[in-house]
Each structure stands twice: as C-alpha cells, then as structure tokens.
C-alpha cells in the first residue's frame, strides 16, 4: 500500500480540462500554510489531564437535511420509542390498525372494492401524515392495495396530499421494489411532490441496486415528474450513489453534467468517499489527484474516507500494518494543511478496537486534546464496547460515567445498553451483565423482550435457574410479553456430582493370613522350571 503524496498523482484528461479553469477563477484562494506535523499520534503516551468535553460537531451538511454518516463501522443508535404514548397517539394507532386490517383483507371475500369499503367504514375519520405512516408500517403484505388507499385518500375532501405523505407512499412501494407503481404515484401527484418525495424515490432506487435508473431519473425528472433539476438535486443523487458504493456511476454523472452544473468541493469530497466505500483506494487517489490539479481543496471528509478505507484494507490483508499506513495518511493531512476533527479520531479508534488493540485506542483517546478535538458519543460507545470485550469491566463502567459527565448521556439509550449486555453475556460475565442491567433500569430505560430473553437464557446456561425465574416474573409484572422457553444448560457450568471414595477397611487376621498364603504360593510357583520345547518328559 503506497503512501498518499501531497499532490495526489494520476491523470484524466477530460476532467482536467473541465476543472482547470477553477484554478484561474478569482474566487479561488491559496491553501493555508501547513501546520507542524505530529508524528507520534499512534504511539503510546502518558494520559493527559482529562478536559471538559464540550458538545462539538464536525460534519459536512448535505442538502435536503440528509443525516451525516460516520465513516467508521459503528452505526448511529436509533432513538427509543416513546414508552408512554399520549391518548392522541393511542387513538391514531387504533385507527391505523383498523385501516391496515382493511388493506390486508382478501379482496375475493368482499364484493365491494377497497375504496368503497374505506368510504363505508372510515368516512368520518381525519387523516394525518402520522396515521398514513403507521398504516403503511402495519401493512407490509398489502401490496398494490396501497394504491387503492392512496386513491381513496386523494378523493377525500378534507385531506390533501403533501410532500410528506407522498414520501411515505413512495417509501412503501420502493421497499417492495414496485417502481412501476412509484412512477404512477409520482406522475399522478405532479406539482405536489417536493424534496422529501425526491429523496425517498432516489433512496429506494439506490438501495434496490439500480444506479443506472437513478442517472436516467435525473435526466427525465423535470419533464416527467416536475422535480427541479438543479445543483441541489444533483448533490442529493450523487450523495446517495456514493453512500452505497456506486461511485463510478456518480462520477460519470458529474462529468456528464459538468458544463451545466459545475462541481464544488462538496461533490469532490463525496465522490472520493464513494470510491472508498466501494473499497477502491487507487480510484479514490486518482480522483483526488484530478481534483487537486483542477483547483479544488481536498477536505477533511475526503481524507477521513481515505483513512477509513486504508484501515479496512489493512484489517483485511495485514492488521500489523494498520498503524503505519494510517500514520502516512495523517502526515499527508498535515502536509496539505487539513486539520483533523473528531471523526478522524473516531475512524482510528474504531479500527483499532476492531483488531483488539484497546490499549492503543485508549492512548489515542487521551491524546485527542492535543489536536483541539474532543470525543463525542460515538467515541465513548466504541470504547465502552471494546473495554467490555477485553474483559476490562471496571474501566468500561468508568467510561459510562465519564460519558454521562461529558454531556452525552442521552446517547446511552436502550439499544446501547442491549449491545453492552450482548458483549458481556458473550464473554460469560453474567454477574457484570446483571449490574449493567440494573444500571439500565436506574437510568429509566425499561427492558424489552430481547433483553429479558438474553439474560434468562444466560442465567439458565450458568445453572442459576432461580434468578432466571425471578427475571421472568419481573418481566410479567412490567407487562413485557415474554414467552417461557426451554433454555439449555451449558455443560461447562453443570455441577458434577461428587464421588465419595470408599474408605479402605482394616484387614482382619484371617484375611491377612490368606493374602500372605496367596503371595507365597505365587513366589513358590515362579521357581518351578518349565520343560523345554521338543523334549519329552521322563517318567
């Protein structure tokens, strides 16, 4: 794996001609002077004093309020569902369940059509975007009956489709890969759809693995569906393609429309990230060289993507080279004058934890302040999991307390605690898992079915059936619908029955004399000479 030079070298004549004018434009500014490089980032160091961690974010916000994605393999935690819904939410849920039952009903059992049945039974209800979303979520097997539901909702005098409701229908049909029905919905609601609907349509096409249709969608979106074809919509499509590893189609699309929509620094960073997501490090270096010669500044997002790609390739081929190869990319960032942010450290810490170098990750964590960076919730969660995986339970508990004191306690949700419990149960630390389970309840998170099932199974495997029964009763009292199962006990933790050794009884005098006679007889018979072979015994 070769080092990333400062002018990332390669050649591409077409893009060089298109982008070379950017260097001559008056808006371009010279790059800032490079700071002093720090060569000892990944080497062990004494822990510094722990500073207070302010809540800082370093992300590049794409258009249409797209969620910022981390380059590390750690997923963002999903928000917890509301455990105590208000009466309005319960009423909407009941209405959504009734509508879902109509959508899932077999059409051959009722002579009336779906729209007639909905008019007959639900003419008095008020449709809202939340009711429509809950109905679609509860009806995964409705199929094209959703088109009838869409038609009935459009015919209601007190309801009008907007961008949000159309995005729900496009999401549902795209999840089923029914893009013909999606086309009909978009054509029928032309002029109403907006940014959310466009994002849903593009996202579902990309997730279905159809990048060619995405590029053709951009060409005909203005005439067929009424979407504005501008630089913002192009950024959205390029971002979606690159997030799922279709960088070649995204780059071809950017070059094809470069005369009309000239790319900017954001598109350059996203294209480099797309090649890195696909694992094509050489292509990312080639594109970065073309962008550099075209007058663009390669930002921290692109360097973080290259760093993550280098670490992943080293983990796959040679984990012992991870630190040295990552150090080369970090030095190139310093030479180019690109400052490191918290995401740079998250990439390094995550990949170090993946190869079980927890101590190096902890040293890096304590040195983040030297570069003016402070950990975020991702940093803490990755380190907590790695400490638990390394059976450093006390340090993991301290890291949880430190995470709360740093202001990231809201990231410790039910999903995060469940992942901690899975790790502790996987390394057979059931007592520590029960203490984390208690801490989870103290923080106000009610355990779910998976949490109780995991803990009860491990308790039974360790032969602690009484505590498993206590957990089952606790779940029933809390209203958690836990089903009793036949858990297996691990043979390693089964207590083996103690075999009592027979005590040697003292011999009586007759027994002792008999034993001596048998022994003397054996000795006497051993001195008797046996006749040789071939000789006859003389009488």
């Amino acid at each position: 794996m070769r080092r990333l030079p400062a002018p990332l070298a390669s050649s591409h004549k077409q893009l060089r001609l298109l982008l070379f004018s950017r260097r001559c434009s008056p808006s371009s500014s010279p790059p800032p002077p490079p700071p002093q490089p720090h060569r000892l980032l990944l080497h062990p160091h004494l822990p510094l004093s722990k500073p207070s961690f302010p809540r800082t974010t370093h992300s590049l916000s794409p258009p249409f309020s797209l969620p910022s994605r981390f380059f590390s393999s750690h997923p963002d935690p999903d928000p917890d569902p509301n455990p105590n819904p208000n009466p309005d939410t319960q009423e909407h849920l009941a209405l959504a369940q009734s509508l879902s039952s109509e959508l899932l009903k077999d059409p051959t059992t009722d002579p009336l059509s779906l729209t007639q049945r909905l008019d007959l039974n639900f003419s008095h209800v008020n449709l809202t975007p939340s009711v429509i979303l809950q109905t679609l979520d509860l009806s995964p097997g409705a199929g094209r009956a959703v088109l009838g539901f869409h038609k009935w909702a459009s015919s209601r005098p007190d309801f009008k489709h907007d961008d949000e409701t159309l995005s729900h229908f496009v999401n549902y049909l795209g999840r089923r890969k029914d893009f013909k029905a999606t086309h009909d919905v978009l054509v029928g609601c032309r002029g109403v759809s907006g940014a959310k609907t466009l994002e849903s349509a593009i996202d579902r096409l990309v997730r279905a693995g159809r990048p060619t249709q995405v590029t053709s969608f951009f060409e005909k979106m203005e005439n067929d569906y009424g979407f504005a074809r501008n630089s913002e919509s192009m950024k959205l499509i390029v971002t979606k393609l690159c997030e799922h590893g279709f960088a070649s189609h995204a780059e071809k699309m950017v070059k094809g429309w470069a005369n009309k929509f000239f790319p900017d620094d954001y598109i350059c960073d996203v294209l480099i990230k797309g090649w890195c997501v696909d694992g094509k490090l050489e292509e990312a270096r080639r594109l970065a060289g073309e962008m550099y010669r075209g007058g663009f500044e390669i930002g921290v997002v692109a360097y973080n993507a290259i760093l993550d790609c280098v670490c992943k390739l080293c983990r796959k081929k040679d984990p012992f080279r991870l630190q040295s190869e990552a150090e080369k990319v970090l030095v190139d960032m310093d030479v180019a004058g690109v400052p490191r942010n918290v995401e740079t450290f998250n990439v390094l810490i995550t990949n170090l934890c993946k190869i079980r170098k927890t101590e190096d990750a902890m040293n890096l964590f304590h040195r983040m302040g030297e570069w003016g960076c402070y950990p975020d919730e991702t940093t803490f969660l990755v380190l907590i999991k790695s400490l638990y995986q390394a059976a450093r339970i006390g340090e993991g508990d301290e890291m949880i307390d430190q995470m709360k004191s740093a202001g990231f306690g809201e990231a410790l949700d039910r999903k995060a605690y469940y992942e901690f419990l899975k790790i502790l149960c996987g390394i057979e630390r059931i007592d520590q898992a029960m203490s984390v389970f208690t801490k989870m309840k103290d923080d106000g998170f009610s355990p779910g079915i998976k949490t109780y099932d995991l803990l009860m199974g491990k308790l039974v495997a360790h032969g602690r059936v009484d505590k498993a029964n206590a957990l089952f009763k606790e779940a029933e009292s809390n209203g958690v619908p836990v089903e009793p199962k036949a858990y297996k006990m691990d043979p390693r933790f089964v207590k083996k029955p103690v075999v009592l050794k027979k005590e040697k009884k003292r011999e009586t005098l007759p027994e002792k004399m008999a034993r001596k006679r048998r022994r003397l007889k054996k000795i006497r018979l051993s001195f008797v000479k046996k006749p040789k072979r071939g000789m006859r015994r003389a009488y």
Side-chain angles (χ1 to χ4, degrees):
M1 192 176 297
R2 60 187 182 86
R3 179 178 171 183
L4 184 67
L8 303 169
S10 186
S11 61
H12 196 290
K13 295 182 179 180
Q14 180 181 0
L15 191 61
R16 185 189 303 174
L17 294 175
L18 290 173
L19 305 182
F20 186 74
S21 60
R22 177 68 181 268
R23 183 186 292 274
C24 302
S25 62
S27 60
S28 62
S29 58
Q36 295 296 328
H38 300 273
R39 297 284 301 183
L40 301 176
L41 177 62
L42 295 177
H43 295 281
H45 192 275
L46 292 177
L48 304 177
S49 58
K50 297 178 182 178
S52 59
F53 302 128
R55 187 181 295 274
T56 57
T57 56
H58 304 271
S59 60
L60 187 62
S61 300
F64 300 112
S65 301
L66 291 174
S68 60
R69 301 259 181 174
F70 294 119
F71 292 106
S72 59
S73 56
H74 177 75
D76 295 338
D78 297 331
D80 282 340
N82 188 8
N84 298 318
N86 53 26
D88 294 338
T89 306
Q90 293 179 351
E91 182 180 353
H92 289 172
L93 181 60
L95 176 59
Q97 290 174 348
S98 302
L99 289 169
S100 175
S101 63
E102 289 293 335
L103 294 179
L104 296 172
K105 188 181 294 185
D106 189 2
T108 59
T109 59
D110 199 322
L112 299 177
S113 63
L114 177 62
T115 55
Q116 292 175 341
R117 283 187 277 118
L118 292 176
D119 279 331
L120 184 63
N121 300 325
F122 302 98
S123 59
H124 60 286
V125 301
N126 294 324
L127 288 178
T128 60
S130 62
V131 171
I132 291 178
L133 177 60
Q134 290 177 351
T135 304
L136 295 177
D137 289 341
L138 294 172
S139 311
R144 288 212 168 186
V146 172
L147 291 178
F149 178 52
H150 172 265
K151 182 179 178 182
W152 173 76
S154 304
S155 64
R156 295 291 303 275
D158 56 345
F159 178 79
K160 289 185 178 180
H161 278 296
D162 58 3
D163 187 23
E164 183 179 359
T165 57
L166 284 179
S167 67
H168 296 332
F169 283 99
V170 171
N171 260 326
Y172 180 89
L173 295 172
R175 196 180 300 118
R176 299 185 67 253
K177 299 183 181 181
D178 192 352
F179 296 109
K180 178 64 173 63
T182 303
H183 170 78
D184 296 339
V185 170
L186 291 177
V187 170
C189 297
R190 180 174 177 171
V192 181
S193 54
K196 290 184 179 179
T197 307
L198 175 62
E199 183 178 354
S200 299
I202 297 300
D203 182 67
R204 288 302 165 186
L205 280 172
V206 174
R207 286 175 181 271
R210 305 188 181 187
T212 306
Q213 292 188 19
V214 173
T215 55
S216 62
F217 184 92
F218 181 74
E219 296 176 1
K220 61 184 181 181
M221 58 186 286
E222 197 168 18
N223 296 328
D224 293 355
Y225 309 121
F227 292 115
R229 189 170 58 198
N230 50 26
S231 60
E232 296 298 321
S233 58
M234 182 175 180
K235 286 181 181 179
L236 170 67
I237 294 177
V238 171
T239 302
K240 290 293 184 182
L241 287 172
C242 292
E243 281 181 355
H244 294 81
F246 299 110
S248 59
H249 294 80
E251 184 179 351
K252 184 178 179 181
M253 176 181 172
V254 170
K255 291 177 181 177
W257 292 89
N259 292 327
K260 188 172 183 180
F261 305 110
F262 195 77
D264 55 3
D265 293 335
Y266 172 78
I267 289 184
C268 296
D269 288 343
V270 169
L271 286 175
I272 296 173
K273 176 190 171 183
W275 282 115
C276 293
V277 170
D278 198 21
K280 306 292 181 60
L281 182 61
E282 294 301 322
E283 292 293 333
R285 295 180 191 273
R286 187 263 311 163
L287 182 61
E290 294 175 6
M291 297 301 178
Y292 180 84
R293 291 189 299 275
F296 292 94
E297 297 295 333
I298 307 302
V300 66
V301 175
Y303 273 106
N304 288 341
I306 293 174
L307 179 62
D308 189 52
C309 185
V310 167
C311 292
K312 286 181 178 178
L313 291 176
C314 287
R315 279 166 42 199
K316 183 178 179 181
K317 298 180 179 179
D318 189 1
F320 295 102
R321 294 180 57 188
L322 187 146
Q323 289 177 289
S324 60
E325 295 296 331
E327 187 73 29
K328 295 176 183 178
V329 180
L330 295 173
V331 171
D332 292 329
M333 289 179 66
D334 293 333
V335 172
V338 179
R340 304 166 194 175
N341 59 2
V342 63
E343 191 55 41
T344 309
F345 290 92
N346 285 343
V347 169
L348 292 171
I349 290 174
T350 302
N351 285 280
L352 285 173
C353 292
K354 290 282 187 181
I355 60 174
R356 297 293 184 264
K357 293 204 173 187
T358 308
E359 189 62 34
D360 293 337
M362 289 296 296
N363 292 333
L364 191 59
F365 169 75
H366 290 301
R367 297 194 59 200
M368 290 178 66
E370 296 181 15
W371 285 266
C373 299
Y374 302 98
D376 57 3
E377 60 270 13
T378 304
T379 316
F380 283 109
L381 289 173
V382 170
L383 285 174
I384 292 169
K385 293 176 185 177
S386 184
L387 288 170
Y388 281 154
Q389 187 69 47
R392 298 163 68 171
I393 312 298
E395 296 180 55
D397 295 339
E398 291 178 3
M399 189 65 70
I400 289 179
D401 298 334
Q402 189 175 354
M403 180 178 179
K404 292 179 181 178
S405 62
F408 299 105
E410 44 186 48
L412 286 169
D413 53 4
R414 187 167 61 176
K415 181 180 178 181
Y417 273 114
Y418 178 72
E419 291 176 353
F420 300 159
L421 293 174
K422 279 181 64 178
I423 294 173
L424 291 173
C425 291
I427 61 174
E428 307 298 340
R429 297 294 194 276
I430 187 63
D431 291 328
Q432 290 81 359
M434 292 302 296
S435 65
V436 173
F437 178 69
T438 304
K439 189 179 297 186
M440 171 184 177
K441 293 188 290 186
D442 293 340
D443 288 345
F445 298 107
S446 57
I449 300 176
K450 291 185 177 180
T451 306
Y452 279 112
D453 188 62
L454 174 68
L455 291 176
M456 286 190 297
K458 276 298 173 182
L459 286 171
V460 173
H462 282 247
R464 303 163 70 174
V465 184
D466 51 347
K467 290 205 171 184
N469 290 331
L471 271 184
F472 182 80
K473 292 179 181 178
E474 178 186 333
E476 284 187 334
S477 62
N478 292 335
V480 180
V482 179
E483 297 180 358
K485 295 181 181 178
Y487 298 103
K488 294 183 180 180
M489 186 175 293
D490 197 329
R492 296 175 296 171
F493 305 105
V494 175
K495 294 182 179 179
K496 297 181 180 179
V498 179
V499 179
L500 298 176
K501 294 184 179 179
K502 295 182 179 180
E503 297 182 1
K504 190 174 182 180
K505 295 181 180 181
R506 186 175 180 179
E507 290 180 329
T508 61
L509 183 59
E511 292 175 347
K512 187 175 180 180
M513 297 300 293
R515 181 170 57 81
K516 285 185 176 182
R517 284 194 297 268
R518 287 193 300 270
R519 178 63 178 165
L520 289 172
K521 185 179 180 181
K522 289 182 180 179
I523 294 174
R524 188 170 59 252
L525 292 175
S526 64
F527 287 105
V528 176
K529 293 184 179 181
K530 297 180 180 180
K532 296 182 180 181
R533 291 184 179 180
M535 295 180 63
R536 295 181 179 179
R537 184 176 298 180
Y539 293 97

